[in-house]
Amino acid sequence: MESFVYTASPSRVVFGPGASSKLPDELAREGRQAALILSTSFQVGEAERLRGLLGPKAVGVFSEAAMHTPTDITDRAVAYAQQLGADCVVSVGGGSTTGLGKAISIRTGLLHICIPTTYAGSEMTPILGETSAGRKTTRRDPRILPAVVIYDVDLTTTLPAGMSATSGVNAIAHAVEALYAPDTNPIIRLLAKEGVRALASALPIIVAAPTDPTAAATLPAARSKALYGAWLCGLCLGSTAMSLHHKLCHVVGGSFNLPHAETHTIVLPHAVAYNAPAVPAAMADLAEVLPGSEGDAVKGLNVLLERLGVERALKKYGMEEEQVAEAAGIAMENKYWNPREVDQEKVRELIRRAWAGEPARGDL
């Protein structure tokens, strides 16, 4: 067997239906008395529910979390936490709120308890992406990792089918790049394959449930499986280095203010097609867990996105055609590892295909 190093995630995970009701117990276990609850403006209701659950141990709610974690919002949140004398933060929501919790925690040392309501998986990573002056930067530090993650399947039941699909594919992207990361290992590959398998089987059921009685009958189990898959995929992201796919998504999303999960969904099959010739073993692993792949991982991803009915074109989210070349140029800055040499002209064509909404194909 190959030699490898595996570092386990130190987070405590509480998983199951109604798990958020255990938040007071987790606060007590950590010896915290003054929680600032974080959310987006759309999830204030859930934040207020948690505030009621904690009673006097909740000192306030900050509901300005935003996509790509803008540093100016983080600065306001840090000042508010200090003003209230908070000794921990509780984030509830998707990647935007999780990112804000991480950003506050790494700046202040406050303990972070995370309650995700989407399938993004970022709650299991020591990685923080932040945006300032139109540029997104990423850093990795063990202190960024939330101390406790509470997966309450009940909080995902109202997640719209479309958002479920894109946040789930976002999670799959983490596992895909972990399969061929320079620091991958057999344990991570097992987690990656199981995570992709769980999400690829659950997401089509979630998307079909509103109009398909058969799918609706199995929706609770599918929701649970998707959240489980997201957890595993997040572990992969937190344990290995990412490559071209994540670089492109940070460039495109951060530079042109495109939605995070939707950008990952659109770019993923194109980035995989680009790297496929250099990583045949990883492609075989991926094809194995993607229904309809017929041994071709890129085909499997195309089939999955077709079944989910997701948008495939970056231009639909406001990216202009003249920004394609700009994005390719930014992607060449700050060298990063990738299994295949990154060629600017080929990357430009990759981004153009994603911009136009063309199916991924392996001819770059």
Side-chain angles (χ1 to χ4, degrees):
M1 178 175 282
E2 66 194 83
S3 299
F4 63 89
V5 174
Y6 172 67
T7 302
S9 166
S11 283
R12 172 178 167 83
V13 174
V14 181
F15 188 102
S20 62
S21 66
K22 298 178 182 177
L23 177 59
D25 296 337
E26 292 303 311
L27 225 66
R29 184 178 181 276
E30 297 291 341
R32 308 294 158 150
Q33 303 290 328
L36 174 61
I37 302 169
L38 311 173
S39 74
T40 64
S41 59
F42 301 104
Q43 292 184 297
V44 174
E46 189 55 46
E48 291 293 347
R49 183 185 74 82
L50 295 178
R51 184 179 193 173
L53 192 64
L54 290 177
K57 290 188 177 181
V59 294
V61 170
F62 184 88
S63 59
E64 298 179 34
M67 186 170 63
H68 303 305
T69 319
T71 56
D72 60 324
I73 291 178
T74 298
D75 292 342
R76 290 201 296 274
V78 167
Y80 191 52
Q82 293 171 339
Q83 174 189 331
L84 296 175
D87 62 8
C88 65
V89 291
V90 177
S91 63
V92 58
S96 297
T97 314
T98 300
L100 178 60
K102 289 178 173 182
I104 296 171
S105 180
I106 192 63
R107 284 167 168 77
T108 63
L110 294 179
L111 181 122
H112 179 195
I113 297 176
C114 181
I115 306 177
T117 61
T118 70
Y119 306 130
S122 60
E123 64 278 354
M124 294 308 301
T125 76
I127 301 168
L128 172 61
E130 300 180 280
T131 304
S132 179
R135 289 293 179 95
K136 189 166 187 176
T137 57
T138 303
R139 58 173 161 160
R140 182 186 289 256
D141 188 311
R143 297 172 298 164
I144 291 172
L145 188 72
V148 180
V149 178
I150 299 176
Y151 286 108
D152 186 343
V153 177
D154 292 346
L155 299 186
T156 67
T157 57
T158 57
L159 187 65
M163 192 177 296
S164 298
T166 55
S167 69
V169 177
N170 181 16
I172 287 173
H174 307 331
V176 168
E177 291 222 302
L179 286 172
Y180 52 72
D183 50 354
T184 191
N185 59 66
I187 308 304
I188 289 299
R189 289 195 292 272
L190 284 172
L191 293 173
K193 290 174 66 177
E194 176 65 6
V196 173
R197 191 195 313 271
L199 281 160
S201 63
L203 292 176
I205 295 172
I206 293 169
V207 169
T211 57
D212 182 343
T214 302
T218 59
L219 183 58
R223 287 286 189 188
S224 185
K225 182 181 284 189
L227 199 58
Y228 160 74
W231 170 17
L232 299 185
C233 291
L235 280 171
C236 294
L237 173 64
S239 302
T240 59
M242 296 289 105
S243 305
L244 179 64
H245 169 79
H246 281 77
K247 175 69 173 182
L248 291 181
C249 290
H250 285 172
V251 165
V252 172
S255 299
F256 309 115
N257 198 37
L258 303 185
H260 181 82
E262 289 83 351
T263 299
H264 275 269
T265 298
I266 292 169
V267 170
L268 179 60
H270 298 282
V272 170
Y274 183 93
N275 280 331
V279 286
M283 292 301 98
D285 282 341
L286 182 56
E288 179 186 327
V289 294
L290 287 172
S293 68
E294 299 179 354
D296 182 338
V298 176
K299 178 180 179 180
L301 287 172
N302 281 329
V303 167
L304 176 62
L305 298 195
E306 288 168 8
R307 290 185 68 190
L308 297 180
V310 294
E311 178 57 59
R312 302 291 298 270
L314 294 174
K315 64 182 179 181
K316 296 294 186 178
Y317 294 107
M319 186 177 183
E320 304 293 339
E321 187 170 10
E322 57 267 23
Q323 292 174 323
V324 169
E326 181 183 354
I330 299 172
M332 299 304 294
E333 300 173 0
N334 302 321
K335 295 295 183 181
Y336 52 94
W337 185 89
N338 193 63
R340 182 182 175 190
E341 183 180 356
V342 180
D343 177 271
Q344 184 166 344
E345 284 306 306
K346 291 178 180 178
V347 167
R348 186 198 62 76
E349 173 59 13
L350 185 163
I351 298 171
R352 188 205 64 76
R353 293 176 183 183
W355 171 84
E358 299 175 5
R361 55 187 191 272
D363 59 352
L364 284 175

